């Protein structure tokens, strides 16, 4: 991990989980620093993954899981036939727009986790062949799953970015710090 997650206030489990999730989001955001649309939608490796598509996917997945935990219908309803579209920027979508949307989603996630009565509270998982029947998960599990999902795709983004222009996560951290100081 090229960045350090600051220690949470003693006993602030929610803050710790949110900080680790934000650190992984930061990895994905850094992976798209300074990209053109062509670079953001390019697929320079053997995979079908693009950087813009990874950002869109992670944002949609975070939103979907938090909505599920709240008992809300999904804002973006994907099924087996449309799941691949979560990994692609549509013609009318921009990387900047997806990043702005993700920022709104991240704020909603934080508000929800900060206000849920307990991380031990549970929510039902939908009926699906990959979930056990009548499965329920805790809000703690939700946060750990979002960290896992985001970290997995942040790693993919590191590889795709390095394949595009040779820039690594470490050099992008330096670039981000320089921009923030300047």
């Amino acid at each position: 991990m090229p960045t350090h997650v600051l220690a949470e206030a003693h006993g602030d489990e929610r803050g710790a989980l949110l900080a680790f999730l934000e650190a992984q989001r930061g990895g994905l955001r850094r992976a798209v620093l300074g990209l053109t649309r062509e670079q953001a939608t390019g697929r320079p490796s053997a995979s079908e993954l693009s950087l813009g598509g990874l950002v869109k996917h992670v944002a949609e997945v975070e939103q979907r899981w938090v909505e599920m935990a709240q008992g809300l219908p999904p804002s973006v309803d994907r099924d087996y036939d449309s799941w691949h579209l979560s990994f692609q920027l549509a013609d009318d979508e921009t990387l900047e727009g997806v990043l702005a949307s993700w920022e709104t989603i991240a704020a909603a996630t934080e508000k929800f986790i900060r206000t849920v009565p307990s991380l031990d509270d549970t929510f039902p998982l939908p009926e699906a062949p990959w979930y056990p029947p009548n499965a329920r998960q805790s809000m703690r599990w939700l946060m750990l799953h979002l960290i896992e999902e985001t970290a997995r795709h942040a790693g993919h983004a590191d590889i795709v970015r390095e394949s595009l222009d040779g820039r690594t996560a470490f050099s992008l951290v330096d670039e981000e710090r320089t921009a923030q100081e300047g």
Side-chain angles (χ1 to χ4, degrees):
M1 175 183 350
T3 61
H4 177 74
V5 178
L6 298 176
E8 76 280 8
H10 182 69
D12 182 13
E13 182 181 11
R14 295 169 200 243
L17 293 168
L18 288 163
F20 273 90
L21 178 56
E22 181 54 32
Q24 297 308 314
R25 287 186 195 122
L28 264 166
R29 284 193 306 268
R30 278 186 298 280
V32 299
L33 279 175
L35 295 182
T36 64
R37 178 171 179 82
E38 181 180 61
Q39 289 172 314
T41 57
R43 294 175 281 176
S45 67
S47 142
E48 291 291 313
L49 298 176
S50 71
L51 289 168
L54 283 167
V55 171
K56 178 180 174 180
H57 172 75
V58 170
E60 278 191 18
V61 167
E62 180 173 335
Q63 181 177 41
R64 185 178 183 97
W65 274 104
V66 172
E67 289 171 343
M68 187 185 319
Q70 293 172 310
L72 300 172
S75 293
V76 179
D77 196 17
R78 299 274 183 212
D79 60 21
Y80 181 79
D81 293 326
S82 65
W83 188 248
H84 69 283
L85 297 175
S86 75
F87 285 98
Q88 301 169 6
L89 291 184
D91 290 340
D92 63 340
E93 291 177 314
T94 64
L95 179 57
E96 295 76 19
V98 172
L99 286 167
S101 174
W102 192 20
E103 187 174 325
T104 301
I105 291 164
T109 298
E110 179 162 358
K111 180 178 179 185
F112 174 66
I113 291 301
R114 291 270 184 208
T115 59
V116 72
S118 171
L119 292 176
D120 293 328
D121 289 353
T122 63
F123 62 96
L125 295 182
E127 294 298 319
W130 45 88
Y131 298 132
N134 304 311
R136 296 187 69 83
Q137 296 299 160
S138 71
M139 300 304 164
R140 181 178 295 102
W141 180 92
L142 167 68
M143 286 303 298
L144 292 168
H145 179 65
L146 291 176
I147 293 165
E148 170 194 44
E149 174 81 11
T150 307
R152 175 181 178 86
H153 293 307
H156 292 139
D158 287 344
I159 293 167
V160 174
R161 180 60 188 254
E162 193 169 353
S163 297
L164 273 175
D165 61 11
R167 297 180 58 210
T168 66
F170 289 102
S171 66
L172 292 165
V173 166
D174 289 341
E175 180 179 324
E176 180 183 55
R177 282 188 184 141
T178 300
Q180 289 172 348
E181 292 168 0

